[in-house]
């Protein structure tokens, strides 16, 4: 696959409307019957759609997923961080499962209006579905994703039906009520949007928390501010590539694309471009803030970016304030998960 690696190329192509996420019909693959449910859900995902459908879906989500609602979560995030840290064992433990996974998963579940007691199921379903995005997936991975999709969809259908009858002040209830030019989300769109927000709402943040802590260990930094979080996002982002399809014949950056060609925008490479960032391979929280590409760009810029930043700013700051002697007990192990870049585990002691 052709790859864009410079900051200029990646930033431009993510916003170029001659490229998009929706697969052109003439190159769309035949969907095997054993993963039909998974792709039926994907078909309603705003992450995989272009205007006008994408515009309507994103507009409805943004009406419910407001900055006011996100910022109001700060005290709850702080309380959850302290609660999770209070539960740390005295012996070495995996910080990913004890802290990095639970923090964003519980927050997005609460935001949507899903009980904390269901978190383990949500994580299991989410992990099985996200595994489908790997290039090396197997039939076992596909079967697990299909089962997870069916179970996840049935679960959310029950939650949505209950909230239609008795709405509360949560994201699912607001998504049900939201309208754009008289149109509401259909039942299938609601289910897909909830799955997307739950999956995307924790997966990347888990990796960023793990990567960030590992980097801070290496650089012996324990004082965390907003600039440190931005440098973590630039230096070791959780998502290394994001693809686009060419919608017409295009000449761009010395390459000729035909309609139906695919290009990979290497987000992490763009974040290490020396034309934009001085000494880009050096971790430097004091560097002047410049826009990184870690949250994508254009109309598909991450809806959850403000929430992710808030969780990272609060989660990392409280972690190192409460655990100033936190240290690894073995070298961090990175996982081989294709376009994600994150740790397999991070064993630590306090």
């Amino acid at each position: 696959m052709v790859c864009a690696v410079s900051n200029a190329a990646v930033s431009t192509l993510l916003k170029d409307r001659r490229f998009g996420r929706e697969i052109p019909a003439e190159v769309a693959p035949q969907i095997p019957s054993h993963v039909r449910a998974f792709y039926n859900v994907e078909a309603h995902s705003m992450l995989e759609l272009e205007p006008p459908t994408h515009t309507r879906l994103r507009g409805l989500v943004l009406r419910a997923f407001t900055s006011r609602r996100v910022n109001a979560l700060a005290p709850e995030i702080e309380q959850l961080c302290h609660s999770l840290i209070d539960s740390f064992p005295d012996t070495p433990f995996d910080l990913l499962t004890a802290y990095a996974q639970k923090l964003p998963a519980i927050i997005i579940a609460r935001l949507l209006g899903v009980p904390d007691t269901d978190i383990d199921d949500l994580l299991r379903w989410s992990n099985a579905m996200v595994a489908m995005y790997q290039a090396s997936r197997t039939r076992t991975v596909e079967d697990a994703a299909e089962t997870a999709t069916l179970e996840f969809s049935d679960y959310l259908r029950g939650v949505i039906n209950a909230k239609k009858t008795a709405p509360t002040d949560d994201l699912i209830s607001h998504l049900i009520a939201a309208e754009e030019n008289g149109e509401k989300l259909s039942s299938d769109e609601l289910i897909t949007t909830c799955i997307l927000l739950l999956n995307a709402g924790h997966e990347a943040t888990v990796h960023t928390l793990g990567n960030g802590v590992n980097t801070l260990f290496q650089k012996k930094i324990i004082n965390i501010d907003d600039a440190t979080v931005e440098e973590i996002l630039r230096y070791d982002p959780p998502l290394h590539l994001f693809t686009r399809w060419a919608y017409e014949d295009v000449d761009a950056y010395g390459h000729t694309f035909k309609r139906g060609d695919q290009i990979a925008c290497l987000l992490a490479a763009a974040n290490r471009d020396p034309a934009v960032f001085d000494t880009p391979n050096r971790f430097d929280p004091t560097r002047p803030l410049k826009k990184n590409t870690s949250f994508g760009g254009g109309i598909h810029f991450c809806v959850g970016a403000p929430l992710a930043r808030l969780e990272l700013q609060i989660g990392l700051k409280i972690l190192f304030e409460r655990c100033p002697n936190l240290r690894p007990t073995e070298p961090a192990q990175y996982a081989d998960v294709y376009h994600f870049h994150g740790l397999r585990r991070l064993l630590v002691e306090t």
Side-chain angles (χ1 to χ4, degrees), residues 180-207:
E180 181 84 12
N181 298 323
E183 286 192 73
K184 293 189 175 186
L185 290 165
S186 68
S187 294
D188 287 340
E189 288 171 341
L190 268 170
I191 289 170
T192 294
T193 300
C194 290
I195 288 176
L196 174 63
L197 291 174
L198 281 164
N199 290 357
H202 84 276
E203 186 79 28
T205 307
V206 171
H207 294 314

Side-chain angles (χ1 to χ4, degrees), residues 266-285:
L266 300 191
L267 308 181
N271 284 347
R272 298 281 188 108
D273 187 344
V276 176
F277 302 99
D278 293 333
T279 57
N281 295 326
R282 180 164 61 92
F283 184 80
D284 180 9

Side-chain angles (χ1 to χ4, degrees), residues 291-324:
K291 287 186 177 179
N292 60 60
T293 59
S294 300
F295 290 110
I299 66 170
H300 290 288
F301 183 82
C302 179
V303 168
L307 176 59
R309 280 193 166 99
L310 188 65
E311 289 171 336
L312 291 165
Q313 290 161 359
I314 295 173
L316 288 170
K317 187 172 187 292
I318 290 178
L319 176 64
F320 283 95
E321 284 178 349
R322 287 284 310 274
C323 306

Side-chain angles (χ1 to χ4, degrees), residues 19 24 80 111 123 151 188 223 226-228 232 258 284 325:
F19 297 85
L80 178 58
L111 182 61
L123 285 172
E151 292 177 358
D188 287 340
N223 295 315
D226 292 357
T228 308
I232 286 170
K258 299 294 183 184
D284 180 9
N325 297 318

Side-chain angles (χ1 to χ4, degrees), residues 26-45:
E26 64 270 26
V27 296
Q30 198 74 21
I31 303 301
S33 60
H34 69 278
V35 287
R36 188 162 292 143
F38 175 85
Y39 282 103
N40 282 344
V41 166
E42 288 278 287
H44 299 290
S45 171

